[in-house]
Amino acid sequence: MLLKNQHQALKYDTGSGELKNWQITETYFDPETLGKVEAVFSLGNGYMGLRSATEERYAREVRGNFIAGTFNKFLGDKEVTELPNAADMTEMSFTLNGDTFQLTDGEILHFDRTLNLKDATLSRTVHWRSPSDDEYKLIFTRFVSLANKHIIAQKVAITPLSRNLTLKLHSGINGQMTNTGTQHFKEGVLRLYDQKIMKLEAHTTESNIDFAHFSRHAFTLENSVITPKNTIFMDRRKIFTTFEPETIQQNETITIEKISGVYTSRDKDWKDADQALAIFAMTPNYDSLFKAHRKAWQTTVWEQYPIQIEGVDFDQLAIRFAIYHLTGMTPAHDNRMNIGAKGLSGEGYKGHAFWDTEIFVLPFFTTSNPKIARQLLEYRSLSIPGAVRKARDNNYEGAMFPWESAWLEDGEVTPVWGAADIITGEPTKIWSGFIEQHITADIAFAVWQYYQFTGDQDFMEKHGYELLFATAVFWQSRLEKKDDRYEITGVVGPDEYKEHVDNNAFTNYMAHWNLEKAIQYYDLLQQENPELLASLSAKWDLQSNYQKWREKAAKLYLPQPNAALVIPQDDTYLSKKIIDLTPYKEASQVGALFLDYNLDQVNDMQITKQADVMILLYLLENEFSPDVKQANWDYYEPKTLHDSSLSRATHSILASDLGDKDLAYSMFEKASRIDLGQNMKSSDAGIHSASIGGIWQVVVNGFGGVRMLDGRLYVHPHLPEKWTELQFPIYWKGARLHMKITHDMIEITNTSNKDVEFVLNGTEIVVLADSTFTTN
Ligand code: BGC
């Protein structure tokens, strides 16, 4: 038996040949750390995300199946809208010659559980000795179909090794799931059709979304189809069947297929549960489903994003892991939905979308799959009414985007109370929903970045200009006149360890940028599309706003570098106490600081949670000199705990820019291990979407050196010493470029029919249509 202390929990080199750097394997079963693998190995297709809880149940498991955009709000003042945990369709419990199959009982002779990124499948092989001393081999496989987004397919093969097997399988659909105790569903119809398909209907309690769940089973013994005796069983919110096949001979294999589907009234083609049943009934068997699923991953994911890293196997795996989750977390099918901060892999952050989408994840799509990027930005455009309401409720104008968002029309959904304050014993108030306001400018920034990369004029006319203007209307109403300048006081910046600060540099600069962009595009539309400008003016009172933008942007206070070239993070940060952060920086668990201090105390110290001034230096990089960047790195990094998973990727990119390859690489190593690393407690509530988007940014924007500055494309690679080659695709104004970078040369292939101009290592070049440009 493999003992946990003798091995690292996760192995990264179990794939060989075609599967080299495509697999992650859990090497032993640990009932204490189920959450990590449930999240990190979760399966998803953007429509749903399924935590990889095992078929059989354990005390500390957190099963979860989240269907994008199906938000519900439980009754009560303390509740906010959240993504409900839908009925579980994966549970199967096995009785093998009278023993319940449980890895906590008997003896595990072999265990491995593998996520295969290439085929997006999860498999588990177990050799188990039961408490009655019988041996069995069990092989489980499953996937969440990318080709048919409603479908989960499972297969289990059981071989009795020491004597014949009397098997009892209890399997079905369990609607008793909750979000940490909160039940979001009213019970609906339960039904068995044709002795075959189990159905569970459910309806969310407040948002009234209909859910229809179906499961069906098929059995083969060796290669012959068998029909075991079965008994249906219904309970509150639960429909199960007990299957009892004839005796299985020693060394023969019984295979069970369970195909399940979920459909909801959020689906664009939803009619009712009967129609969903008719669709589900036509679903083919596991092997056919798998073929289509595998092909969908091959053609729509891996051929679309062929990123190759030579030199360090783990890094190749890490970028594939990132793309795997970026695909699984993104509801690319529906512009009424966005990406949760934990994707669809757990209850963390309640399925809400944050600035994580625009600043950390969107660059991947903008650069590599602009169609999906557009959909995600359309979500913001469609949610303008909620943002207008939030502005109005706070006595501002324009669109004030919510810090956390769910339904389009919701406006703000950030919970008000959070973790315990270790000093007062009370819950800590979460101020972000009230005063973390930079998200409004972050969204405008992402719109502009998308426009520059794609040149998508249609998007701009339908959504983009309005987003740029509506956000600028907000900012001009938000600015406060202090003597002869404008300020922004009482905010939380990206560093959430500082609350109610005045003139957070990031917020002020981004607001200023937003105003300037609105002015620029107002001027442009006046020349080029006065009709569109007139209609937007009528809606947003742009004529009078334009004057205010000009006046206020010119006088908005932008904290300048001091004598030591340090940009003050806010008005008081630099005068606060400095403490030695070494123990907290080295702590294995995030947030260790709060075991010793509460947030009020941290507020009074020069401690930064995550990139704050540093992300400003990245996003608006051409407004700051290399000296200023270096001075701020040297000042702030030692004071930054990287307690948010968003932090390290930004630091790595800046380190690349500053020419410190080793530092850039060591920051990348840490960033790429946030979910994928050996810390088995890192991800229980779900994977970290922004950090995963950040891994891609480090590879392409950091090491690949791809940037868009003032509307121009720049490429200035900084390949890590350990890498011998990096290849990745980018789209620029509709043209697809494939970049191949080694230490000696850069090869750029333009597979489009347009010439592409850009600045490569400081020199202007043109890569002609359908041709390859090579430099050394
Ligand atoms: C970070 C935010 C982030 C949020 C969701 C917080 O811990 O400080 O910047 O948006 O997590 O990922």
Side-chain angles (χ1 to χ4, degrees):
M1 172 174 173
L2 301 178
L3 295 175
K4 65 178 176 187
N5 295 331
Q6 293 169 344
H7 295 267
Q8 295 222 298
L10 300 178
K11 278 185 102 177
Y12 309 108
D13 59 357
T14 57
S16 57
E18 287 247 298
L19 287 177
K20 186 164 189 261
N21 302 327
W22 287 99
Q23 289 195 166
I24 310 145
T25 298
E26 183 192 28
T27 55
Y28 57 80
F29 175 77
D30 183 353
E32 304 292 319
T33 60
L34 297 173
K36 164 90 173 193
V37 174
E38 286 167 1
V40 169
F41 285 16
S42 62
L43 303 169
N45 56 21
Y47 176 86
M48 74 169 119
L50 176 67
R51 281 171 76 84
S52 287
T54 52
E55 282 70 9
E56 72 285 4
R57 303 195 64 169
Y58 294 94
R60 286 171 193 244
E61 67 178 11
V62 182
R63 309 182 84 80
N65 188 18
F66 299 94
I67 317 300
T70 59
F71 290 102
N72 187 60
K73 184 169 182 292
F74 193 69
L75 287 174
D77 289 349
K78 288 202 165 169
E79 298 289 340
V80 293
T81 303
E82 68 182 327
L83 200 58
N85 192 359
D88 175 42
M89 304 184 285
T90 59
E91 182 178 338
M92 297 165 102
S93 71
F94 306 89
T95 311
L96 307 174
N97 287 326
D99 287 319
T100 303
F101 173 63
Q102 275 284 295
L103 293 172
T104 40
D105 300 337
E107 192 181 348
I108 303 170
L109 302 169
H110 173 86
F111 174 94
D112 62 61
R113 183 154 50 152
T114 294
L115 178 68
N116 171 331
L117 300 169
K118 190 173 200 173
D119 295 341
T121 51
L122 179 76
S123 59
R124 178 166 62 124
T125 307
V126 180
H127 185 169
W128 185 61
R129 181 180 291 138
S130 70
S132 313
D133 228 11
D134 294 316
E135 289 184 27
Y136 304 94
K137 188 169 179 194
L138 298 98
I139 300 175
F140 303 81
T141 50
R142 63 164 82 160
F143 59 90
V144 167
S145 173
L146 189 65
N148 183 339
K149 298 208 168 177
H150 303 272
I151 300 296
I152 300 171
Q154 290 167 276
K155 200 185 238 187
V156 188
I158 306 174
T159 315
L161 300 174
S162 42
R163 65 172 167 119
N164 296 349
L165 164 65
T166 304
L167 169 71
K168 225 191 220 185
L169 164 66
H170 193 56
S171 175
I173 309 171
N174 182 358
Q176 296 178 357
M177 309 312 291
T178 66
N179 288 49
T180 37
T182 298
Q183 168 58 266
H184 281 287
F185 294 94
K186 288 182 265 188
E187 177 146 29
V189 178
L190 302 175
R191 172 92 200 260
L192 176 71
Y193 293 96
D194 300 334
Q195 297 297 312
K196 243 189 165 153
I197 298 179
M198 287 180 264
K199 174 179 83 172
L200 180 146
E201 286 185 35
H203 315 279
T204 52
T205 52
E206 172 259 354
S207 54
N208 267 320
I209 302 170
D210 299 329
F211 278 62
H213 296 266
F214 305 100
S215 278
R216 63 155 210 256
H217 295 76
F219 294 77
T220 48
L221 184 60
E222 292 298 294
N223 287 321
S224 316
V225 174
I226 55 166
T227 311
K229 176 179 158 222
N230 62 76
T231 317
I232 184 77
F233 165 88
M234 292 180 194
D235 197 351
R236 291 173 88 182
R237 308 167 196 276
K238 209 170 173 180
I239 176 164
F240 269 65
T241 303
T242 301
F243 298 95
E244 294 171 274
E246 303 277 322
T247 305
I248 298 138
Q249 305 299 308
Q250 182 181 358
N251 291 325
E252 280 192 354
T253 300
I254 181 166
T255 305
I256 305 140
E257 268 188 37
K258 181 177 185 183
I259 308 294
S260 306
V262 56
Y263 305 79
T264 87
S265 55
R266 286 285 269 159
D267 301 346
K268 286 186 171 155
D269 55 358
W270 166 269
K271 280 213 180 77
D272 54 28
D274 288 343
Q275 189 220 24
L277 171 68
I279 298 170
F280 177 75
M282 282 160 39
T283 310
N285 65 12
Y286 186 101
D287 292 342
S288 312
L289 283 166
F290 178 65
K291 250 189 173 165
H293 165 74
R294 189 173 201 273
K295 189 160 174 227
W297 274 90
Q298 189 56 35
T299 53
T300 64
V301 183
W302 304 120
E303 284 169 15
Q304 175 79 17
Y305 320 116
I307 307 193
Q308 286 194 35
I309 296 172
E310 302 284 346
V312 181
D313 287 343
F314 180 89
D315 298 346
Q316 173 70 78
L317 183 75
I319 188 70
R320 287 177 176 152
F321 174 78
I323 288 169
Y324 168 84
H325 277 294
L326 286 161
T327 304
M329 70 172 77
T330 304
H333 59 289
D334 198 325
N335 65 0
R336 299 167 303 165
M337 298 165 192
N338 205 275
I339 299 172
K342 302 279 186 189
L344 295 165
S345 69
E347 279 181 36
Y349 290 123
K350 303 184 185 301
H352 297 168
F354 294 66
W355 73 317
D356 302 37
T357 300
E358 278 73 19
I359 300 300
F360 296 89
V361 176
L362 205 76
F364 163 69
F365 287 112
T366 292
T367 315
S368 358
N369 195 335
K371 211 170 137 218
I372 297 180
R374 174 171 173 157
Q375 293 246 80
L376 291 164
L377 289 169
E378 283 177 9
Y379 166 88
R380 295 299 190 183
S381 170
L382 297 173
S383 60
I384 285 177
V388 168
R389 224 186 37 249
K390 181 173 174 185
R392 228 181 275 134
D393 290 348
N394 287 278
N395 294 322
Y396 300 125
E397 297 163 22
M400 180 186 194
F401 278 97
W403 176 244
E404 295 185 25
S405 48
W407 289 101
L408 293 172
E409 49 291 330
D410 267 348
E412 189 57 71
V413 290
T414 306
V416 177
W417 300 103
D421 178 324
I422 57 123
I423 307 285
T424 67
E426 291 174 16
T428 310
K429 184 159 182 175
I430 302 174
W431 283 99
S432 301
F434 303 97
I435 56 175
E436 189 155 359
Q437 295 164 354
H438 61 82
I439 186 162
T440 293
D442 305 334
I443 290 169
F445 187 84
V447 164
W448 178 72
Q449 197 174 47
Y450 169 80
Y451 181 37
Q452 298 310 306
F453 264 92
T454 61
D456 184 349
Q457 200 56 43
D458 180 67
F459 167 78
M460 288 307 286
E461 285 168 19
K462 292 191 175 119
H463 309 280
Y465 293 123
E466 180 166 31
L467 281 163
L468 288 176
F469 295 147
T471 47
V473 173
F474 162 69
W475 284 117
Q476 74 73 16
S477 74
R478 174 63 183 85
L479 303 187
E480 302 145 60
K481 184 122 205 246
K482 295 271 162 78
D483 303 324
D484 61 348
R485 70 182 195 187
Y486 286 91
E487 299 190 358
I488 303 174
T489 66
V491 296
V492 175
D495 172 13
E496 294 176 347
Y497 291 172
K498 299 283 161 288
E499 291 172 339
H500 309 287
V501 296
D502 297 343
N503 297 312
N504 167 258
F506 180 79
T507 307
N508 284 28
Y509 274 91
M510 291 298 285
H512 182 258
W513 177 93
N514 201 160
L515 291 166
E516 290 289 341
K517 275 289 162 258
I519 295 167
Q520 180 190 333
Y521 284 103
Y522 183 100
D523 290 343
L524 192 98
L525 285 190
Q526 240 176 355
Q527 301 302 317
E528 294 184 356
N529 196 341
E531 300 79 34
L532 178 64
L533 186 63
S535 80
L536 290 171
S537 289
K539 189 165 170 193
W540 297 99
D541 188 16
L542 294 186
Q543 258 173 4
S544 85
N545 264 290
Y546 179 74
Q547 297 312 326
K548 292 179 195 157
W549 295 339
R550 291 190 70 104
E551 190 237 319
K552 294 186 183 181
K555 292 188 189 158
L556 173 55
Y557 166 55
L558 300 176
Q560 294 301 309
N562 63 15
L565 298 184
V566 174
I567 299 169
Q569 186 179 298
D570 56 59
D571 282 356
T572 49
Y573 187 97
L574 297 182
S575 57
K576 290 179 176 172
K577 195 162 85 192
I578 297 178
I579 66 162
D580 176 18
L581 288 180
T582 318
Y584 307 110
K585 282 195 143 214
E586 284 166 3
S588 62
Q589 226 32 51
V590 166
L593 181 73
F594 291 99
L595 300 175
D596 295 335
Y597 300 101
N598 73 4
L599 198 54
D600 283 344
Q601 293 167 315
V602 175
N603 228 333
D604 286 333
M605 299 187 241
Q606 295 196 39
I607 301 175
T608 297
K609 180 181 182 186
Q610 65 199 84
D612 187 302
V613 170
M614 304 310 278
I615 190 142
L616 167 65
L617 301 182
Y618 170 44
L619 296 187
L620 301 184
E621 65 172 85
N622 48 352
E623 297 192 17
F624 305 97
S625 71
D627 288 352
V628 167
K629 287 182 192 164
Q630 187 67 57
N632 282 277
W633 173 287
D634 295 344
Y635 191 81
Y636 285 109
E637 201 288 325
K639 299 175 184 63
T640 302
L641 284 173
H642 305 293
D643 269 358
S644 157
S645 67
L646 283 57
S647 192
R648 282 209 169 85
T650 307
H651 279 81
S652 172
I653 296 168
L654 283 171
S656 274
D657 291 357
L658 293 171
D660 193 333
K661 282 191 172 190
D662 291 344
L663 190 54
Y665 188 71
S666 78
M667 282 283 173
F668 167 71
E669 279 186 306
K670 290 189 180 126
S672 59
R673 281 162 180 77
I674 287 171
D675 288 307
L676 194 50
Q678 298 289 342
N679 177 349
M680 294 306 279
K681 282 284 165 202
S682 64
S683 313
D684 289 14
I687 50 93
H688 301 78
S689 308
S691 145
I692 282 172
I695 294 173
W696 178 88
Q697 288 197 43
V698 174
V699 171
V700 171
N701 304 131
F703 301 138
V706 171
R707 296 300 162 78
M708 181 275 295
L709 301 174
D710 291 335
R712 295 209 65 189
L713 180 63
Y714 289 75
V715 181
H716 191 141
H718 308 272
L719 208 61
E721 293 304 336
K722 289 185 183 164
W723 293 5
T724 52
E725 190 175 298
L726 167 64
Q727 293 193 48
F728 57 88
I730 61 167
Y731 284 85
W732 179 256
K733 314 258 190 233
R736 182 180 160 113
L737 301 177
H738 187 84
M739 323 286 285
K740 183 168 162 184
I741 299 162
T742 70
H743 289 288
D744 309 316
M745 61 110 207
I746 300 170
E747 185 186 282
I748 301 155
T749 305
N750 180 354
T751 52
S752 72
N753 56 10
K754 296 187 229 174
D755 299 351
V756 178
E757 286 174 31
F758 63 95
V759 181
L760 179 64
N761 288 337
T763 308
E764 305 218 358
I765 65 158
V766 182
V767 184
L768 299 175
D770 284 318
S771 65
T772 297
F773 176 96
T774 312
T775 173
N776 46 33

